[in-house]
Amino acid sequence: MCLSIPSKVIEIDENNFATVETLGVRRGVSLDLIAEPVNVGDYVLIHVGFAMEKIDTKYALESLKVYENIVKEMNNETIGVYDGDMGLANRLK
Amino acid sequence: MDLINDFRDKDKILAISKLIKKESNKPLNIMEICGGHTHSIMKFGIPGLVGEHINFVHGPGCPVCVMPKTRIDEAIKLASMDGVIFCTLADMLRVPGSHTSLMKLRGEGHDIRALYTPLDALKIAQDNPDKKVIFFAIGFETTTPMSAVLVEKTLNLGLKNLFFHINHVTVPAPVRAIMNDENVKIDAFLGPSHVSVITGSNVYKSIADDYKTPIAVSGFEPLDIMDSVLNLVRQQNANTHEVYNEYARVVNENGNLRAKELIDKYFEICDFPWRGLGVIPNSGMKLKDEFASIDARVCFDCSVQSAKESKACICGEILRGRAKPYDCKVFGKVCNPQNPIGSCMVSGEGACAAYYKYAKRG
């Protein structure tokens, strides 16, 4: 039931209904569950025909940066940058 | 940035894999609560990437798998009535009840429809004013707000022919039930992705504290799961039990407040009879009494006599994390996706279906 693929908002109509694109497939989703403004170009997570939440690309980029550092560290066989950091916690909205 | 492929990057996965193997030095039983995680773990071969000390235990987070026979029999009884259009989400159609399934019933000519979204039920009700449309609502906290939106729209439109059979369940209650079972040994949890989008990550704080189990709320992509496992290994080594929000790109501490308000407006907590776990107090949702006029369990006769579960099938043990699909005598033989005996094989999110699809032996 869970489709975890991020979907890009292509169009929003006056009934709070959006057309989103998921891996090249377009479908309609309701925006009734999202309180904050949604704009064309935003990424949303969808579930059974509803957008559940906007995806914050800032956090996604941050995560990927950390993983990049791990790659570098592991290639150098030294553990430092990620050491002692319990992960990416404390970054809650 | 590619929000999918960047989180499936081989070099990053292998680097974290090395780090986990380096730091993991004692047994760690991690229960992934959600069926979506079970599938990702099997699909991406995560058990082979995390070293010998880590054992994934598959949890009860699959709404179809935990649906008891009594509720399926109720659905079958309602769907068999004259003048009814019965609607639900796809996987429910194949789950065997005591004597038949919704799919077989549909083959016999009853009007039973699998919906892409609950909202489709509105149009069906509007287009068929002479029929009673019954929506069989299933799912954890992820799907409850969508049912709430449907209830709201039904009331606002004044529709008199759309009824709700509510089977929504919650995550924390079964997790506690499993942890209270002394035969279960779980050291840490992968917290669900989408449920947490609605509930917020704070909902797990008391579980982490009460059972001293670290919890990593994780996304579904392999990198998300690897990062979460690394965090749980580090928490084990540091002897901490925090809730780590690995999935901060969509999950926050308090969840989706609008969705939670809608749930509170229309639903209240009730006991629910889980398959494999029995009745768990305060673990399900039902429509509030003031909405009895659209509650299918109130408006129609739902009394059923359900048969006992098949003795050969050990779905109940699997849902408790006490057994793996391979431990079941009928797994992959009599019980397979084309002929599911138990619910864990029926659902696309079930542990048995995941093992059959990605790790079938022989």
Side-chain angles (χ1 to χ4, degrees):
Chain A
M1 278 172 68
C2 287
L3 176 71
S4 58
I5 309 290
S7 305
K8 192 175 185 176
V9 177
I10 304 295
E11 205 179 340
I12 301 169
D13 73 9
E14 64 281 1
N15 299 318
N16 211 23
F17 213 75
T19 302
V20 300
E21 190 168 280
T22 317
L23 297 174
V25 178
R26 292 193 176 194
R27 71 188 78 207
V29 296
S30 161
L31 299 178
D32 285 338
L33 291 174
I34 304 205
E36 59 193 307
V38 177
N39 301 307
V40 169
D42 284 347
Y43 283 91
V44 290
L45 201 61
I46 59 172
H47 187 73
V48 296
F50 285 81
M52 297 171 70
E53 193 62 79
K54 279 164 72 168
I55 298 172
D56 193 323
T57 49
K58 180 170 66 91
Y59 282 119
L61 270 171
E62 212 173 288
S63 302
L64 291 168
K65 253 188 233 149
V66 171
Y67 304 146
E68 279 296 345
N69 285 336
I70 295 176
V71 173
K72 284 182 197 147
E73 291 296 319
M74 293 315 288
N75 286 345
N76 298 336
E77 279 297 304
T78 59
I79 307 293
V81 171
Y82 203 59
D83 195 30
D85 175 10
M86 293 301 287
L88 303 167
N90 311 319
R91 314 169 317 167
L92 295 165
K93 293 172 195 172
Chain B
M1 179 180 56
D2 180 331
L3 282 167
I4 301 162
N5 291 322
D6 284 355
F7 285 87
R8 296 182 181 186
D9 181 83
K10 183 179 157 190
D11 291 344
K12 295 186 181 83
I13 290 169
L14 290 176
I16 298 182
S17 169
K18 265 194 213 171
L19 206 46
I20 290 171
K21 288 175 181 173
K22 191 171 179 146
E23 297 189 25
S24 163
N25 52 31
K26 46 186 176 288
L28 182 65
N29 290 314
I30 300 174
M31 175 176 268
E32 84 277 2
I33 297 165
C34 169
H37 279 141
T38 305
H39 271 257
S40 280
I41 286 165
M42 299 308 291
K43 179 178 176 180
F44 295 107
I46 305 274
L49 293 165
V50 292
E52 63 195 20
H53 295 301
I54 288 165
N55 172 41
F56 287 106
V57 180
H58 315 303
C62 153
V64 174
C65 305
V66 299
M67 190 68 63
K69 257 195 177 128
T70 51
R71 294 287 177 123
I72 299 161
D73 289 341
E74 286 180 26
I76 286 163
K77 185 169 184 172
L78 294 175
S80 306
M81 295 190 315
D82 287 340
V84 162
I85 299 174
F86 191 86
C87 304
T88 186
L89 299 171
D91 274 350
M92 278 313 303
L93 263 57
R94 298 175 55 238
V95 184
S98 294
H99 309 293
T100 184
S101 69
L102 290 166
M103 190 67 96
K104 285 180 184 158
L105 213 57
R106 187 163 75 169
E108 292 163 15
H110 292 277
D111 195 342
I112 296 168
R113 305 185 192 185
L115 307 184
Y116 154 64
T117 169
L119 288 180
D120 290 346
L122 278 181
K123 191 168 186 319
I124 294 169
Q126 286 168 317
D127 291 348
N128 297 277
D130 56 332
K131 302 270 187 182
K132 293 185 174 77
V133 178
I134 298 174
F135 179 65
F136 188 82
I138 63 167
F140 284 87
E141 291 93 333
T142 329
T143 325
T144 317
M146 290 74 175
S147 295
V149 170
L150 183 59
V151 168
E152 185 155 77
K153 287 184 186 293
T154 302
L155 296 170
N156 289 346
L157 289 166
L159 284 174
K160 300 289 182 224
N161 66 326
L162 178 53
F163 302 88
F164 294 80
H165 188 296
I166 300 293
N167 302 275
H168 286 301
V169 283
T170 62
V171 164
V175 168
R176 285 181 174 277
I178 287 166
M179 291 306 283
N180 291 339
D181 179 341
E182 56 194 21
N183 296 314
V184 172
K185 178 80 181 79
I186 308 291
D187 306 307
F189 287 100
L190 270 191
S193 314
H194 290 183
V195 165
S196 306
V197 171
I198 302 298
T199 63
S201 57
N202 276 354
V203 80
Y204 307 109
K205 271 197 168 23
S206 64
I207 291 174
D209 287 342
D210 291 350
Y211 300 103
K212 304 212 168 2
T213 47
I215 299 176
V217 174
S218 173
F220 281 126
E221 297 301 337
L223 259 174
D224 291 318
I225 296 172
M226 295 297 283
D227 183 25
S228 297
V229 169
L230 179 61
N231 172 272
L232 294 173
V233 166
R234 289 181 165 179
Q235 290 213 51
Q236 179 190 35
N237 291 342
N239 201 19
T240 58
H241 46 269
E242 305 292 325
V243 176
Y244 166 54
N245 182 12
E246 184 280 332
Y247 202 34
R249 60 187 183 275
V250 267
V251 172
N252 64 52
E253 278 183 320
N254 301 313
N256 181 326
L257 299 181
R258 173 177 283 190
K260 291 206 283 195
E261 277 167 19
L262 275 164
I263 292 171
D264 290 344
K265 189 171 175 183
Y266 296 107
F267 298 119
E268 62 189 15
I269 292 284
C270 64
D271 301 347
F272 191 84
W274 296 64
R275 183 189 287 247
L277 301 172
V279 174
I280 302 177
N282 304 321
S283 64
M285 289 267 172
K286 69 184 191 64
L287 274 167
K288 286 181 173 175
D289 291 347
E290 64 206 83
F291 308 112
S293 64
I294 54 168
D295 188 340
R297 298 194 82 227
V298 175
C299 297
F300 306 108
D301 176 11
C302 286
S303 55
V304 290
Q305 285 291 327
S306 294
K308 288 204 166 83
E309 299 292 344
S310 160
K311 278 191 181 145
C313 161
I314 61 165
C315 277
E317 293 297 288
I318 291 167
L319 290 168
R320 281 171 181 274
R322 293 207 301 214
K324 297 223 174 190
Y326 295 140
D327 300 327
C328 181
K329 288 191 181 75
V330 292
F331 170 77
K333 301 182 181 82
V334 182
C335 184
N336 58 59
Q338 288 70 43
N339 180 47
I341 305 291
S343 53
C344 297
M345 186 64 90
V346 172
S347 166
E349 292 184 26
C352 295
Y355 272 61
Y356 189 91
K357 188 171 180 182
Y358 301 116
K360 188 166 170 277
R361 291 174 176 167

